[in-house]
Amino acid sequence: MEKTASIQAVAPGIADALFATAAGLFAAIPAVVAYNHFLTRIKAIGAEMDDFASEFLNLVERSFS
């Protein structure tokens, strides 16, 4: 004999799951935006440091060779 679940029985569980999902998205979306922002800044700073190192080494090489 099969038992069927009524919407009144499963609705509270579904509501709790949707609330937990919304809370997770509320935390995750700003975290991803911040991560991407800082990752972009770190890559830009790394590129600037590489450029500086190349220019500095060229200057030292020209000055002391």
Side-chain angles (χ1 to χ4, degrees), residues 25-41:
L25 288 172
F26 184 73
I29 291 171
V32 169
V33 170
Y35 171 80
N36 287 331
H37 170 73
F38 287 118
L39 185 64
T40 302
R41 286 187 60 195

